[in-house]
Amino acid sequence: MSDSETIAVYDAQVDEYANIVEESGVDPALVLFIEHLKPNSFVLDLGCGPGNSSALMRDKGLRIDAVDASKEMVKLASEKYGINARQSTFDDLTVKNTYDGIWANFSLLHASIEDFPRYLNAIHKALVPNGVFHIGMKTGDGMHRDRLGRIYSYYSEKDLNNT
């Protein structure tokens, strides 16, 4: 289930978050992810945020399905990058054998610990055989809210490898 308080924080702080993402430059992990895909591959950007990663993937010849739970992030991605982003939560991922790649860069860390295995299962089902999956997470233990009110779930590297 999506955390409404976390989504509200992103809706309210969309411009600040977009600036932080833009200032950080191109993520080397994203470049590597793109290199593992063939041109015209269909990729889900799960938690697309302001759309910068979706735009880069699109510009590198990939077909993008950009989704985010934040209405304001979807709006920004669509307006700033011309991405046809749509509002969607992790719970909405029900397709099977659809995506050549799924980019979930620091989005699933907002999923509750209880729901996380179910979301990973949905991702697995949504990928085509030998599909490429990227997950960005913060390591640690437990579930906590940050000073802004966003929920974070933390896992050890061992937990992530065994999930």
Side-chain angles (χ1 to χ4, degrees):
M1 175 171 237
S2 299
D3 181 66
S4 59
E5 190 173 340
T6 299
I7 295 167
V9 169
Y10 282 111
D11 279 340
Q13 308 245 340
V14 65
D15 292 328
E16 294 87 343
Y17 185 77
N19 288 336
I20 291 168
V21 169
E22 194 168 299
E23 288 173 5
S24 66
V26 176
D27 185 341
L30 178 58
V31 173
L32 187 60
F33 176 78
I34 293 168
E35 288 174 359
H36 281 86
L37 293 162
K38 295 177 183 170
N40 205 37
S41 291
F42 191 34
V43 176
L44 174 63
D45 188 350
L46 186 61
C48 69
N52 58 312
S53 296
S54 290
L56 181 63
M57 288 187 277
R58 175 202 57 207
D59 294 348
K60 295 293 184 180
L62 303 176
R63 294 176 296 127
I64 306 303
D65 185 9
V67 301
D68 201 284
S70 164
K71 180 176 98 174
E72 294 302 318
M73 288 292 181
V74 167
K75 181 179 173 188
L76 179 64
S78 298
E79 291 174 356
K80 184 170 184 173
Y81 295 104
I83 301 294
N84 190 22
R86 59 189 174 87
Q87 190 173 8
S88 181
T89 68
F90 304 137
D91 289 308
D92 297 326
L93 183 58
T94 59
V95 297
K96 299 200 179 4
N97 201 30
T98 301
Y99 299 106
D100 300 298
I102 296 179
W103 176 257
N105 197 45
F106 295 95
S107 56
L108 286 167
L109 53 76
H110 295 303
S112 73
I113 290 172
E114 296 80 25
D115 290 331
F116 187 70
R118 181 168 51 88
Y119 296 146
L120 287 181
N121 188 47
I123 287 167
H124 178 75
K125 288 178 181 177
L127 282 167
V128 300
N130 299 312
V132 180
F133 175 50
H134 166 84
I135 184 171
M137 299 289 284
K138 293 183 178 187
T139 57
D141 292 310
M143 208 162 79
H144 310 284
R145 288 202 184 271
D146 70 2
R147 63 178 179 76
L148 299 175
R150 296 174 296 186
I151 195 78
Y152 283 91
S153 295
Y154 299 94
Y155 301 87
S156 69
E157 194 170 328
K158 180 182 175 187
D159 290 336
L160 290 171
N161 285 326
N162 292 331
T163 303

